[in-house]
Amino acid sequence: MNLSSGGGKEFDTYKELLTLYRSLLIIRSVKVFKVMETIDRSLFVTNATLAYVDSPMNIGHNATIPAPRTHAKCLELLKSNLRPGMRALDVGSGSGYLTACFAFMVGPNGRAVGVEHIPELAAFSTENIQKSPVAPLLERGSLSIDVGDGRLGWPECGPYDAIHVGAAAPEILQPLMDQLKPGGRLVIPVVRTVRGSSQQDLMVVEKCLNGSINKRCATSGVRYAPLTSCDAQLQGL
Ligand code: SAH
């Protein structure tokens, strides 16, 4: 183990980093440990030598792949809605890492869709997935990466058991709620203004079987880039 230039710990293997997360209870289940061990982060980053560092990394076009602990946390929040045969949507696929994890968890009889609005990043997601163990699911069509405005979701393949949003939204977006199955779960960072300054809450929203909606904040003070238009993102607004 070394100290990286970013100050975070750098591990020799991904398994070592995941084992630390397990001891810190960031990873709480065999299921999440197994999917993250299977989908190696080094295939999804721009600098593989820093893949096993506990920090985000720039992937170009003003986007970052989050720190692996953020991936672990979102997978833990969504795991019961990512069982074999289920349907999952990943808004803002970026590196493709979480879409690949979703595809592995829902398996060949499920459906995992990534939506990314920057065409070059959608291509990056696809190329990364092609190097990974879920590449056959791309071929088979149970995993796809599409270019589009994720604020509208991806109704063609819905409704979904699980929806994840990888960028901060101004509110819980109605098109995403509409594309959630009864019993489905949405994980979305939402911007909130507190005494003039904005902060973000990672929200878990459930559409209950009786049609009611349950919302809770899993973590406050998270930091995601905005869910926005292509132009605003490329101008760094
Ligand atoms: N979960 C991704 C996170 C990437 S960062 C990963 O693990 O790599 C957030 C991503 O959201 C960026 O790729 C950005 O281009 C994308 N994004 C931002 N606004 C979007 C929108 N309106 N529609 C689709 N993607 C969007």
Side-chain angles (χ1 to χ4, degrees):
M1 189 196 296
N2 305 305
L3 281 182
S4 75
S5 53
K9 282 178 186 160
E10 182 184 327
F11 295 83
D12 296 328
T13 67
Y14 199 32
K15 195 169 184 172
E16 269 182 66
L17 173 63
L18 300 178
T19 304
L20 173 70
Y21 285 175
R22 189 166 53 190
S23 69
L24 296 173
L25 300 180
I26 295 167
I27 293 182
R28 292 166 175 266
S29 61
V30 173
K31 206 169 160 180
V32 170
F33 191 94
K34 186 176 163 213
V35 66
M36 293 190 73
E37 190 186 9
T38 305
I39 309 295
D40 196 306
R41 189 171 188 263
S42 67
L43 302 177
F44 292 81
V45 293
T46 44
N47 180 351
T49 58
L50 294 176
Y52 309 144
V53 180
D54 191 16
S55 42
M57 194 190 296
N58 200 320
I59 54 172
H61 309 279
N62 285 330
T64 52
I65 177 173
R69 69 172 61 216
T70 305
H71 284 153
K73 182 174 202 155
C74 292
L75 289 167
E76 283 291 345
L77 290 172
L78 285 168
K79 68 185 172 206
S80 40
N81 289 56
L82 293 167
R83 293 198 303 268
M86 288 184 156
R87 302 180 86 81
L89 173 65
D90 184 24
V91 172
S93 65
S95 66
Y97 186 86
L98 272 186
T99 321
C101 290
F102 293 173
F104 180 79
M105 292 167 91
V106 302
N109 298 321
R111 186 75 172 84
V113 185
V115 182
E116 170 55 57
H117 69 161
I118 307 280
E120 291 84 351
L121 287 174
F124 183 60
S125 293
T126 306
E127 285 156 22
N128 296 338
I129 290 168
Q130 275 163 345
K131 297 178 277 179
S132 81
V134 290
L137 300 180
L138 259 186
E139 302 272 311
R140 183 189 166 102
S142 65
L143 162 55
S144 60
I145 300 289
D146 294 290
V147 177
D149 186 345
R151 292 174 290 192
L152 305 174
W154 196 256
E156 290 88 324
C157 299
Y160 300 96
D161 298 281
I163 301 181
H164 168 262
V165 182
E171 62 199 1
I172 294 167
L173 301 171
Q174 194 56 45
L176 302 183
M177 288 307 296
D178 293 343
Q179 290 166 42
L180 211 53
K181 277 187 195 171
R185 184 177 270 207
L186 164 68
V187 169
I188 181 169
V190 178
V191 179
R192 178 162 62 98
T193 304
V194 188
R195 288 187 287 278
S197 66
S198 68
Q199 74 165 49
Q200 297 176 9
D201 294 331
L202 187 64
M203 299 297 296
V204 178
V205 189
E206 269 157 347
K207 189 185 265 188
C208 304
L209 292 174
N210 66 8
S212 65
I213 305 293
N214 265 348
K215 290 180 221 174
R216 69 179 173 92
C217 172
T219 317
S220 54
V222 293
R223 290 180 64 187
Y224 285 76
L227 187 70
T228 185
S229 67
C230 286
D231 282 353
Q233 181 171 327
L234 294 174
Q235 287 168 40
L237 298 176

